[in-house]
Amino acid sequence: MSENVWILGIHMTPFGKHADKDVLDLASEAALAAMKDANVTMKDIQILGYGNLMGGTQGQSLQKNIGQTGIPVFNVSNACATGATALRAGVMAIKAGEADYALAVGVEKLSGAGLLTGNTAGAMPENWTPKGRQGAIMPLDGYIGTTGMAGLFAQIGLAYNDSDPRADFELFARIAEKSHSHSTLNPNAAYQKAMSLEQIMGDPMISYPHTRSMCSANCDGAAAAVLVSETKLRTLPLEQQRRAVKVSASIIATDPWTPGNQELADVNTVTKNASQAAYEQAGIGPEDLDLAELHDCFAAAELVHYDNLGLCAPGNAIDFFNTGATWRTGKMPVNVSGGLMSKGHPIAATGIANVWEVATHLRGEAGPRQIEGAKVGLAHVIGLGSTAGVHILEKSGL
Amino acid sequence: MSIPIVDYLVLEPKPHLVAQECTACKAKVFGRHNACPACFNESFAEYEVPTTGILKTFTIVQFAAKGIPVPYTTGIVNCGGMDVAANITGVEAIPENITRGMEVQLATFPLGKDAGGVEAIGFGFEPV
Ligand SMILES: [Zn+2]
């Protein structure tokens, strides 16, 4: 049987604007704080998983800044699932028996970067010449579909459950209202202001039905985790064992062929596959979860993932949300951090930051936003392309 | 002289879209593939996509990169079982005009001439 894996230390920097820090400052801050939390140093770390999608730095850049020990580095790139993939690299190394300690780091500096994608149009050529696998004579963004993520996820949301007409602008705006309300309790969130439904629906439209406050916020931030094998953990002081959080499932899945998924990304099947595999690996069902942090890169995405993660009965996400279940006071609190829409979405950091949020509740250290008595939680991310990452975490029984 | 925006838009004798259909499992995709993403078979036949369909889902893009005319509607049209990503044209891009489930048909239009005077032809789907 392969080794169980635990989180021994974990840290998330505040998300937002860090004008005085560069990418390596943020990555170092998260990595050093996670190691301090775990009571280890770079000398103990045997493998590093590192993600910095937009900034161009490598794990080796981080090592040169905080400790060059010659360990293997896995520089990973999986769009918005990059952080979860870095974590997964560490989990695999420990499960394989190749390491007792792993460090995973995700970092991004995106303040002022505009939208996630679709900010720059390709140049119109002087002569029409077919290029590429579809013989395109010009950049296609805006002429055949959109590369803007707000528009992609709008289509995904409006297609929910055979294009249920109740999945509409106001419903999605009410989901964003919940996120912005939750963020008021999170001092690490980039935006911590509650917003009324009127404010959200009256915000500038980015891609109908997503207004600006229904879109994830580009910002700066980093998150890092120190993973440890269960064998090693049992040699550590009891207090460390008590604060350690079990990684009961660690899954990365890609989108399998489904008809039409090369025309519009099928984030549903990949998330369903990843969550089913995670529940099976953990021996835990969605009914056992005390909280979930899911990838609400846009308001419409949150709706479909209630269903994809099995948080509600199949096809029932709209009624499920309407009962108030996913508010922090409901029976299945979702994105009590404020989610990507208000906490912010520094792309490669997100997949570890979601895990930090869940782990912090399981440790009972979430302060005013603590979900009381939380024992089990789930963290989910989607990277377009597509990749789903699902981690299920459990509080130590000690 | 005219040229289609992508090679899967065929202009003659009447404008239509041509997909690549796997000869083994009948999976359909647009553009050149080296093997079938569903069954890994390495041969494809051309499949003529029906020119009418049902709009499954959409978005109205209000904010795009500089140079891209906004607003515009884009979505997924199911044409006889095959999903096609395309803009919705021939109707003002406001939510009141667009309904999931509405019937649409293929339409083509000029997109401009290049330095040599060749006209680019784009496509979209417009309400029937
Ligand atoms: Zn096939």
Side-chain angles (χ1 to χ4, degrees):
Chain A
M1 197 168 137
S2 67
E3 184 69 73
N4 285 326
V5 181
W6 292 69
I7 294 166
L8 189 62
I10 190 160
H11 186 79
M12 168 188 151
T13 70
F15 282 3
K17 199 175 275 187
H18 292 280
D20 54 335
K21 290 172 184 163
D22 66 14
V23 167
L24 291 178
D25 287 323
L26 292 168
S28 302
E29 182 179 325
L32 291 170
M35 287 189 286
K36 196 170 176 188
D37 188 33
N39 197 30
V40 298
T41 70
M42 279 303 282
K43 199 176 171 193
D44 301 294
I45 302 297
Q46 293 158 297
I47 169 198
L48 171 62
Y50 187 85
N52 175 211
L53 200 71
M54 315 292 272
T57 67
Q58 295 181 306
Q60 290 88 333
S61 330
L62 175 67
Q63 289 178 299
K64 287 182 173 63
N65 203 41
I66 63 168
Q68 291 176 265
T69 55
I71 58 168
V73 170
F74 292 82
N75 291 299
V76 300
S77 167
N78 249 342
C80 304
T82 293
T85 307
L87 197 65
R88 180 87 184 97
V91 169
M92 286 196 295
I94 293 174
K95 275 185 182 284
E98 294 209 9
D100 278 318
Y101 287 111
L103 174 64
V105 182
V107 60
E108 220 72 68
K109 208 164 148 53
L110 293 172
S111 281
L115 299 180
L116 215 51
T117 55
N119 290 298
T120 324
M124 277 293 167
E126 197 164 300
N127 284 292
W128 306 136
T129 310
K131 282 187 182 138
R133 292 190 163 245
Q134 301 188 330
I137 58 168
M138 61 172 72
L140 299 180
D141 186 20
Y143 297 94
I144 302 177
T146 172
T147 60
M149 294 287 164
L152 283 174
F153 279 93
Q155 294 173 73
I156 288 164
L158 290 175
Y160 176 67
N161 206 26
D162 291 331
S163 309
D164 189 328
R166 295 179 304 150
D168 65 5
F169 183 20
E170 190 189 315
L171 177 80
F172 298 137
R174 284 195 286 117
I175 290 173
E177 182 188 19
K178 171 182 73 74
S179 301
H180 289 287
S181 169
H182 284 171
S183 75
T184 60
L185 297 174
N186 186 356
N188 280 330
Y191 299 100
Q192 299 172 29
K193 283 201 178 115
M195 291 185 78
S196 70
L197 194 59
E198 291 69 31
Q199 284 176 311
I200 291 165
M201 293 180 80
D203 232 7
M205 188 63 73
I206 303 296
S207 238
Y208 180 88
H210 284 138
T211 65
R212 190 175 50 191
S213 44
M214 297 161 74
C215 300
S216 52
N218 273 335
C219 65
D220 308 334
V226 173
L227 300 169
V228 65
S229 67
E230 186 163 282
T231 306
K232 177 61 83 177
L233 177 68
R234 295 302 167 225
T235 69
L236 300 177
L238 192 58
E239 187 45 35
Q240 273 194 291
Q241 295 191 44
R242 284 199 180 115
R243 282 185 77 247
V245 170
K246 189 178 181 188
V247 181
S248 301
S250 174
I251 301 290
I252 293 286
T254 57
D255 48 341
W257 163 259
T258 52
N261 79 343
Q262 297 191 9
E263 296 294 290
L264 178 66
D266 180 2
V267 302
N268 300 321
T269 305
V270 65
T271 297
K272 283 175 184 163
N273 286 356
S275 65
Q276 277 165 20
Y279 291 131
E280 197 169 304
Q281 191 173 88
I284 278 171
E287 64 283 356
D288 301 316
L289 300 175
D290 296 306
L291 77 160
E293 286 285 309
L294 61 75
H295 201 74
D296 62 328
C297 47
F298 299 91
E302 177 157 329
L303 181 80
V304 302
H305 295 317
Y306 293 154
D307 202 328
N308 296 331
L309 295 171
L311 305 183
C312 61
N316 204 37
I318 298 171
D319 291 329
F320 176 67
F321 173 72
N322 284 337
T323 64
T326 58
W327 284 75
R328 53 171 291 111
T329 48
K331 66 176 176 145
M332 181 64 252
V334 171
N335 293 343
V336 296
S337 67
L340 278 50
M341 283 185 271
S342 33
K343 180 179 74 176
H345 183 23
I347 302 174
T350 291
I352 299 174
N354 287 355
V355 168
W356 175 84
E357 178 70 22
V358 172
T360 301
H361 285 270
L362 301 183
R363 284 169 155 187
E365 298 172 1
R369 70 180 186 289
Q370 176 70 39
I371 296 299
E372 285 308 322
K375 290 190 172 63
V376 187
L378 178 148
H380 158 257
V381 285
I382 275 280
L384 248 281
S386 298
T387 307
V390 173
H391 285 88
I392 294 177
L393 308 173
E394 281 183 90
K395 184 185 176 70
S396 164
L398 293 173
Chain B
M1 273 285 284
S2 60
I3 183 170
I5 183 169
V6 285
D7 61 14
Y8 63 84
L9 170 64
V10 175
L11 300 175
E12 301 296 338
K14 269 178 63 182
H16 63 281
L17 303 177
V18 173
Q20 302 299 309
E21 184 181 62
C22 170
T23 55
C25 79
K26 307 295 178 194
K28 296 169 189 66
V29 288
F30 287 114
R32 187 164 62 83
H33 286 63
N34 299 70
C36 172
C39 80
F40 335 127
N41 168 48
E42 292 177 24
S43 75
F44 293 90
E46 292 198 335
Y47 169 81
E48 190 174 326
V49 181
T51 55
T52 59
I54 301 292
L55 180 67
K56 281 172 70 172
T57 188
F58 70 98
T59 184
I60 300 171
V61 180
Q62 297 279 356
F63 186 97
K66 203 166 167 252
I68 296 173
V70 287
Y72 66 91
T73 306
T74 190
I76 297 294
V77 177
N78 188 269
C79 296
M82 182 179 186
D83 282 355
V84 179
N87 289 6
I88 304 305
T89 55
V91 58
E92 195 190 345
I94 54 172
E96 293 72 24
N97 285 345
I98 315 292
T99 318
R100 286 166 276 178
M102 75 184 195
E103 284 181 57
V104 291
Q105 62 191 9
L106 186 71
T108 56
F109 39 83
L111 287 171
K113 289 183 173 153
D114 70 4
V118 177
E119 185 81 70
I121 304 295
F123 76 91
F125 283 81
E126 59 186 24
V128 172

